[in-house]
Amino acid sequence: MRQFNLPDLGEGLPDAEVVRWLVAEGDEVAVDQPMVEMETAKAVVEVPSPYAGRIAKLHGQPGDVIDVGAVLVSFGELGEEPVAEEVPADKPKNEPVSPATPAVADNAVSGDSEVFKLPDLGEGLPDAEVVRWLVNEGDTVAVDQPMVEMETAKAVVEVPSPVAGVVSKLHGQAGDVIEVGAPLVEFGGTVGSSTASTPAKEDKPEEREDSGTVVGAVEVGNTVVAETSSAVVKALARKLKVDLTQVKGTGANGSITQKDVKAAAKNGTAKSNASAPVVETNTSYIETSNPLAYKASPAVRALARKLGVDLATCATSGRKGSITREDVEMATKGVTAPAAQTQLLSQADLNAPLAKGYPTLVNGQAETVRGVRRAMAMGMSHAHATIVPTTLVEDVDITAWPKGTDSLARYVRALVVAAKQVPALNAWFDGEKYERTMHASVNVGIAVDSEAGLYVPVVHKADEMGMAGVRARVQDLRQKIESKTLKQEDQQDATITLSNFGSIAGRYGTPVVSPPQVAIMGTGRFRKELKLTENGIQNAKMLPLSLTFDHRACTGGEAARFLAAVLEDLQKAH
C-alpha cells in the first residue's frame, strides 16, 4: 500500500482543510486526476493524484484539518495493511555518495543500497533542518533532481540527488535537524524496475490558455489541471472580479467554465460587487460572504462554520489583521467587528485578569529552537565568544530632511560615505591569523525582524547604487523573506551591517557584530526635542545612533571618525 501525504500547497502554510472529496474509496484514479478540494488560508486548491491506481483509504472528512506531511490518501486494495519499505539488515551499505560521484545510467542496476549523507551546504554549519521532502520512499529519481528542502542559517536550500535510482529510505521528518555527514537518503533496487514503487507514467495533456494565472488551480508543468472545476472557476472569477451569479454557463449541465468567466470579464457584463455575497455554482453550499477575503487558518474557518459565524462579522485581533479562535467565539456572544476590540478595551471590570485578551501560554513548556532562530542563537554565541565589542552613541539632527525622505536609503548612503572615508570599519577580521581585510565594495547587511527569527539579507555593492536602487533591492529581499525564497547568496559577503531597531522601539542599543565583519550601526527611534543653537532655542528632529565595532580590528579613533562621517552625511537635506 502506498501512502500519499498532504504536500505544501504553495503558501508555506502548516495545514489545510478538507472541503470535499472528489473520489471514493475503491475508485480507480489516473495520474493527475483531482482527488480532493482543500482550503488553505487563502484559496481552495484541488489536489491531484500522483499515481494511477485504486484508492484504499481516504484520511479525513469534510471539515477536518490535515497537517502538511500527514497521510491524505492510501493507494492499494481495500483492507490492505500499509507496509513500510526497509533496506534488508544483511544488505551491505556502500560509502557515502558524493555529489561528484558519476551518475548511474538510466535503466541500469544500482546494485547494493547506497547511503547519501548530508553534505556541507556551503555555510560551514554543523547541521540543517528538514523543511519538506520533495520525493517519497519508492520514487525513482534522476541525477540532480531536488529531493528535499533543508533550512540552514537563514536560507532554504534544495538538495539534489547525486545518482539516478530508487529511493528506499528517507531519514528524518519535517522539523528534524540532520547533522552534516549523517545519512539523509538511501538508494536501492533497479532504476525503472517493475517491482519498484514508482508513480505511473505521467500523461501530457494539451497546454491550456493562460496556464499559471489562476489562483487556486493545481498545475503540472505549465498545464492547469481540472480547468472546469468549481474551485478553479471561483478563483478565476475572484481574480477577474466577475460575479458568477450573472454568468450563463455553457459547460455540462449548465456549469460555468473558465471560458465563460473570461468572456464575461472581457465583455464587462458581470462585474462583481465586493460587498455582494459569493454564491458557489452547482452546489448547495452558500457563504454569506467570501471566506477567502479574510485572514484565518483552516481550523478557525472550520470553527466559524461549526458555530455558524460569518467571518465578515469577526474582529481581527490576530497577527497582521488575522482572525483568531477567540474572535470567532466573541462573535457568537454578539461582539463583532469593529466593535469587538472597542468593547474589549472599554470593559471596566476591575476584577478581570490583567492579561485578559492575550494568547494563553503553558508555564514551563520547553520549545526546541530551530531554523532561523537556531542559526541566530549559534551566530550570537560565536560573536560573544570571539568579538571584543565597543559601542559609541551619538545623536544627529535630521530636521533638514524633507517630508517623505526614505530613511532606510539615507542610512545606507551614510554607511557607504563613511566606509569610503574610513575603510577600517568596512572590513573583515580573522581572529586566528590576526589578519584584516578591507573591502573596496560596500555590501550592507540589513537586519530584518520576522516571525521566524532574524534575517540579515545583503545589499551587495551598495556603493554602486542610487538610493532608489537601494530601496528596490531591500524591498525585493523582504519579499523573498516573506515567500521563503531567500537564497544563501542573498545573505553572504556583508562587509558592514545596519540594524534599524528604532522602527519598532528603542533609542540606543549595543548591536552585536557578526564576524568576520568588524562593525554594525544601529538607528534608534526619532524624537523631537528643543535644541540650543546660535539663533536661539529651536525644535529639532533627532535621530539616535549606536555604532558597535570590534576593538581588535580598529581603533577608537577610526570608529569615531567613521561615526562623524555618518553624522555629516545624515545632516544634509538631500
Side-chain angles (χ1 to χ4, degrees):
M1 177 182 290
R2 280 183 275 190
Q3 307 278 32
F4 172 58
N5 298 341
L6 178 65
D8 184 337
L9 297 177
E11 300 173 11
L13 297 169
D15 51 33
E17 179 186 334
V18 177
V19 176
R20 67 185 179 112
W21 288 100
L22 307 176
V23 294
E25 294 179 359
D27 285 358
E28 291 280 351
V29 295
V31 173
D32 295 334
Q33 178 178 335
M35 297 187 296
V36 62
E37 288 182 355
M38 304 291 295
E39 184 177 16
T40 69
K42 299 179 182 177
V44 174
V45 181
E46 285 189 344
V47 179
S49 173
Y51 309 113
R54 184 183 300 278
I55 292 178
K57 184 174 178 59
L58 303 177
H59 297 267
Q61 302 296 323
D64 288 352
V65 176
I66 309 296
D67 290 335
V68 170
V71 178
L72 185 65
V73 179
S74 298
F75 292 84
E77 296 301 323
L78 296 177
E80 180 184 352
E81 293 295 327
V83 178
E85 289 189 37
E86 296 183 357
V87 179
D90 58 349
K91 182 174 284 188
K93 293 182 173 64
N94 292 342
E95 291 299 315
V97 180
S98 165
T101 302
V104 179
D106 288 343
N107 299 319
V109 178
S110 61
D112 295 337
S113 173
E114 295 183 341
V115 180
F116 173 58
K117 298 183 178 181
L118 179 65
D120 184 337
L121 297 176
E123 300 179 356
L125 295 170
D127 51 37
E129 179 183 337
V130 177
V131 176
R132 66 179 179 124
W133 287 100
L134 306 176
V135 296
N136 297 313
E137 294 179 0
D139 284 358
T140 299
V141 295
V143 175
D144 293 332
Q145 178 180 337
M147 297 187 297
V148 63
E149 290 180 352
M150 305 291 295
E151 186 168 18
T152 66
K154 308 169 191 172
V156 175
V157 182
E158 285 188 347
V159 179
S161 173
V163 298
V166 177
V167 175
S168 61
K169 186 174 180 60
L170 303 176
H171 292 268
Q173 303 294 324
D176 289 351
V177 176
I178 308 296
E179 295 184 354
V180 171
L184 185 65
V185 179
E186 290 185 25
F187 299 91
T190 304
V191 177
S193 169
S194 60
T195 61
S197 179
T198 58
K201 185 176 180 180
E202 181 177 312
D203 294 331
K204 295 184 178 180
E206 296 181 2
E207 293 190 5
R208 298 174 174 86
E209 178 188 1
D210 204 24
S211 66
T213 63
V214 182
V215 178
V218 177
E219 297 178 41
V220 178
N222 293 321
T223 304
V224 178
V225 179
E227 183 178 9
T228 60
S229 71
S230 60
V232 176
V233 169
K234 286 180 289 182
L236 179 61
R238 286 193 296 271
K239 176 182 175 67
L240 300 181
K241 298 181 179 179
V242 170
D243 184 355
L244 291 178
T245 61
Q246 301 181 40
V247 179
K248 183 178 180 180
T250 60
N253 299 321
S255 62
I256 300 173
T257 67
Q258 288 193 52
K259 184 177 180 181
D260 298 330
V261 175
K262 292 176 183 177
K266 182 177 181 180
N267 299 332
T269 56
K271 292 184 178 180
S272 66
N273 180 355
S275 62
V278 174
V279 180
E280 302 199 9
T281 60
N282 295 334
T283 176
S284 59
Y285 178 67
I286 299 177
E287 285 281 357
T288 56
S289 62
N290 181 3
L292 299 182
Y294 308 96
K295 292 182 179 179
S297 70
V300 170
R301 295 178 191 279
L303 177 63
R305 279 197 293 274
K306 179 180 179 181
L307 299 179
V309 173
D310 184 357
L311 292 178
T313 66
C314 294
T316 54
S317 64
R319 184 177 176 82
K320 296 184 178 180
S322 62
I323 298 172
T324 66
R325 295 180 63 91
E326 289 75 17
D327 295 331
V328 175
E329 291 168 352
M330 289 296 290
T332 64
K333 301 175 183 178
V335 182
T336 57
Q341 294 191 34
T342 303
Q343 180 170 332
L344 284 173
L345 294 175
S346 62
Q347 288 176 346
D349 183 3
L350 299 180
N351 295 319
L354 298 179
K356 185 176 182 179
Y358 291 91
T360 302
L361 298 179
V362 178
N363 286 332
Q365 183 177 16
E367 177 186 5
T368 302
V369 177
R370 291 175 173 168
V372 178
R373 293 187 184 277
R374 177 184 175 87
M376 178 184 68
M378 295 172 63
M380 294 301 101
S381 296
H382 178 58
H384 181 72
T386 57
I387 296 292
V388 180
T390 303
T391 302
L392 299 178
V393 297
E394 185 59 274
D395 294 324
V396 58
D397 187 344
I398 57 172
T399 307
W401 284 12
K403 187 176 181 179
T405 296
D406 187 334
S407 58
L408 181 62
R410 285 298 304 265
Y411 301 155
V412 173
R413 190 186 79 176
L415 284 177
V416 168
V417 170
K420 294 299 181 180
Q421 294 184 31
V422 189
L425 274 77
N426 186 52
W428 289 346
F429 183 74
D430 187 330
E432 294 183 358
K433 298 180 180 179
Y434 283 88
E435 293 179 349
R436 182 176 68 166
T437 303
M438 291 184 286
H439 301 280
S441 295
V442 184
N443 300 334
V444 181
I446 308 290
V448 177
D449 177 59
S450 77
E451 187 174 354
L454 177 67
Y455 288 86
V456 189
V458 181
V459 179
H460 294 95
K461 297 185 178 180
D463 52 314
E464 299 178 11
M465 298 180 180
M467 288 197 292
V470 169
R471 168 52 65 184
R473 179 56 179 157
V474 170
Q475 289 296 103
D476 178 57
L477 291 169
R478 283 179 172 164
Q479 179 60 40
K480 287 185 176 182
I481 290 173
E482 292 177 1
S483 60
K484 281 279 189 178
T485 57
L486 197 68
K487 302 297 182 184
Q488 288 185 20
E489 55 266 28
D490 294 325
Q491 303 169 86
Q492 294 176 335
D493 300 330
T495 57
I496 193 167
T497 296
L498 170 68
S499 175
N500 183 21
F501 57 81
S503 61
I504 303 173
R507 181 176 294 186
Y508 305 106
T510 55
V512 179
V513 177
S514 179
Q517 299 171 56
V518 301
I520 177 173
M521 186 178 79
T523 57
R525 194 171 186 81
F526 299 143
R527 71 179 187 277
K528 292 288 186 67
E529 69 176 31
L530 295 179
K531 182 180 179 183
L532 182 62
T533 69
E534 294 179 354
N535 299 321
I537 298 176
Q538 296 180 351
N539 190 16
K541 186 176 184 179
M542 306 300 293
L543 170 67
L545 301 176
S546 303
L547 177 69
T548 299
F549 62 97
D550 186 350
H551 219 323
R552 301 176 305 167
C554 54
T555 68
E558 288 170 327
R561 285 189 288 274
F562 182 94
L563 184 56
V566 169
L567 296 172
E568 181 181 3
D569 187 73
L570 288 176
Q571 287 173 339
K572 296 177 181 178
H574 298 283

